Amino acid sequence: MGKYIIAGNWKMNKLPSETYDYIKEVIDATKGSECEVVCCTPFVCLPQAVEAAKGSHVKIGAENLHFEDKGAFTGEVSAEMLKDLGVDYVIMGHSERREYNNETDETVNLKAKKALEKGLIPIVCCGESLEQREAGITMDWIAIQIKKAFAGISADDAKKVVVAYEPIWAIGTGKTATDDQAEEVCGGIRELLENLYDAETAKAITIQYGGSMNPKNCAGLLAKPNIDGGLIGGASLKSADFAVITKAA
Ligand code: 3PY
C-alpha cells in the first residue's frame, strides 16, 4: 500500500517562538519511527519549523495555500512561497476550511494541481458529516470529493498525493470512527482511485485516517490494510503522544 505517513495538523496552535524548540522535541521523540513524520504548522511558524527540521527525518507542511501563482490576493500564500521556504507538504480541503473559509471541491482541485506543479505534496482531506453517514450516503459523498479533487491530475502525479479521510463527526469531538468504519471508507477510496486510474496507482497513494487519532486508538486503525497513516490534530501538539502514533505506523 502507500508509504506510511503520520502528519501532525497543528491547526491554529503554538506560537512562532515555541516552534523551533517543539520541532526539536518532535525530532527526538520520533527518532526510530519507520514512517514519514510530518508537522503541518501555521504559516507564521513555518520558517522556524523548517530551520529546526533541517537535516532531520522530520518534514514540514503548511495547512493551506492559494492556487494562484501571485498577485492581488491579500493575506494569501502561494505554493512557490512555501517551496521557497523549504516546505514539503500542504494540507487542503480540511473540513474546518470547507466550513469556515469557503473551501470547495473546485478550490481543492486547483490547489492540488498547483501544489504538484510546484513540487509540494498535497494532503487532500475528505469526509462525510454525521447526517450523511446516517443517511447512508457516505461513499457517494466521498466519491464526489475524490473525483473532483483528482480531476485533471495524471496517474504519475496522483501517486504523489496523500488522501486523508476525516469523518467530520470525528473531528474535535473526541469521537473516532471504529477501526472497521475507517477501513471501510479508506478501502472504498482505494477502489475509487483504482477506477479513476489503475490498481498500481491506487496502491501507491497514501490514504490516511484523520479525526481524533490518538495514542490509544492508533494501533488498531493503523493495522488496517487500507490505512497508511494518520492526519493528527490534538495529539500532534504533545511530542510524546505524537511519537506513540509515529511508532505505531
Ligand atoms: C483532528 O484530528 O481533529 C483533525 O482534524 C486532524 O486533521
Side-chain angles (χ1 to χ4, degrees), residues 10 13-22 41-49:
W10 291 9
N13 291 294
K14 299 213 181 280
L15 299 172
S17 59
E18 299 169 326
T19 298
Y20 186 92
D21 287 349
Y22 183 69
T41 84
F43 286 138
V44 291
C45 298
L46 287 171
Q48 293 84 346

Side-chain angles (χ1 to χ4, degrees), residues 90-154:
V90 57
I91 300 173
M92 58 203 64
H94 194 282
S95 60
E96 288 153 11
R97 291 204 66 83
R98 291 180 192 261
E99 183 174 356
Y100 306 126
N101 302 89
N102 300 321
E103 185 87 292
T104 64
D105 291 333
E106 286 71 26
T107 59
V108 170
N109 176 246
L110 292 170
K111 288 177 182 190
K113 287 194 281 199
K114 185 55 69 179
L116 289 163
E117 181 193 319
K118 301 293 178 185
L120 294 164
I121 299 170
I123 302 178
V124 172
C125 303
C126 60
E128 82 288 3
S129 65
L130 189 57
E131 296 73 51
Q132 288 166 328
R133 173 158 286 269
E134 285 173 348
I137 56 165
T138 296
M139 260 342 280
D140 304 294
W141 180 250
I142 302 276
I144 293 170
Q145 291 185 317
I146 292 292
K147 279 184 196 156
K148 288 195 177 162
F150 280 86
I153 294 178
S154 69

Side-chain angles (χ1 to χ4, degrees), residues 9 11 94 96 166 170-172 210-213 231-234:
N9 173 13
K11 307 192 180 184
H94 194 282
E96 288 153 11
E166 300 209 319
I171 295 178
S212 304
M213 191 188 270
L231 186 57
I232 319 298

Side-chain angles (χ1 to χ4, degrees), residues 153-216:
I153 294 178
S154 69
D156 276 350
D157 273 347
K159 288 179 188 162
K160 300 173 197 154
V161 176
V162 176
V163 175
Y165 166 55
E166 300 209 319
I168 299 170
W169 48 272
I171 295 178
T173 58
K175 282 187 198 159
T176 328
T178 65
D179 303 346
D180 288 339
Q181 282 173 324
E183 168 61 17
E184 191 184 3
V185 178
C186 291
I189 293 172
R190 184 99 54 206
E191 230 176 275
L192 269 168
L193 292 167
E194 189 172 332
N195 292 336
L196 280 180
Y197 297 98
D198 51 69
E200 187 212 331
T201 305
K203 263 193 203 152
I205 295 175
T206 296
I207 302 177
Q208 298 175 320
Y209 171 78
S212 304
M213 191 188 270
N214 60 46
K216 287 204 180 97

